[in-house]
Amino acid sequence: AADAARDGAAAAGMPAPLVIAVTVLTSLETADIETMGVIGGVEEQVVRLATLAREAGLDGVVCSAHEIAPIRRALGTDFILVTPGIRPAGSDAGDQKRVMTPPEAISGGADYLVIGRPITGAPDPAAAARAIAASIAATVA
């Protein structure tokens, strides 16, 4: 996939897109993946999958913010981490089991945050997005 994306972009005279793999869904926890036959827990599986993605030439992975530190230790800072399961402080986690606030995820080293339902499900989505952006800005300032 990585080679095809780069070759296709080059043939079209375009910059290559990032190719990102998914590790373990944030709606799963260790007990869930153990029922699927995965041994070693979520963190170990996520690092294993991220390592395989890097070895395959991918640019990064989708992972819970809880796995940022172990992936950074294993693969360094030049590997892109996209983090779903992001919830503003005090908001409902919904079906997500491994969540973190936007400022925590950014401070932890996430490159991109995936924030869906806290915005789309808010009574005023624009105000919710602005509040989240302000919480992030206060963290990086």
Side-chain angles (χ1 to χ4, degrees):
D3 291 342
R6 290 180 188 110
D7 292 347
M14 303 289 294
L18 297 175
V19 181
I20 308 292
V22 175
T23 58
V24 175
L25 301 177
T26 54
S27 59
L28 301 175
E29 57 191 355
T30 295
D32 299 314
I33 67 167
E34 285 176 350
T35 64
M36 294 180 236
V38 175
I39 306 301
V42 169
E43 182 179 307
E44 186 177 327
Q45 178 67 356
V46 168
V47 172
R48 181 181 311 122
L49 293 171
T51 301
L52 289 171
R54 173 158 242 171
E55 289 170 358
L58 276 62
D59 300 296
V61 293
V62 177
C63 66
S64 159
H66 292 272
E67 286 83 51
I68 293 170
I71 292 172
R72 293 288 187 223
R73 279 192 300 275
L75 302 176
T77 59
D78 64 336
F79 196 62
I80 296 170
L81 302 182
V82 178
T83 55
I86 302 300
R87 298 290 187 263
S91 67
D92 181 31
D95 65 339
Q96 302 297 293
K97 295 180 180 169
R98 298 179 351 265
V99 299
M100 194 171 283
T101 67
E104 290 170 330
I106 292 292
S107 294
D111 295 300
Y112 297 95
L113 305 182
V114 179
I115 309 170
R117 287 174 272 178
I119 295 171
T120 62
D124 184 347
R130 283 191 297 274
I132 291 167
S135 75
I136 294 168
T139 300
V140 298

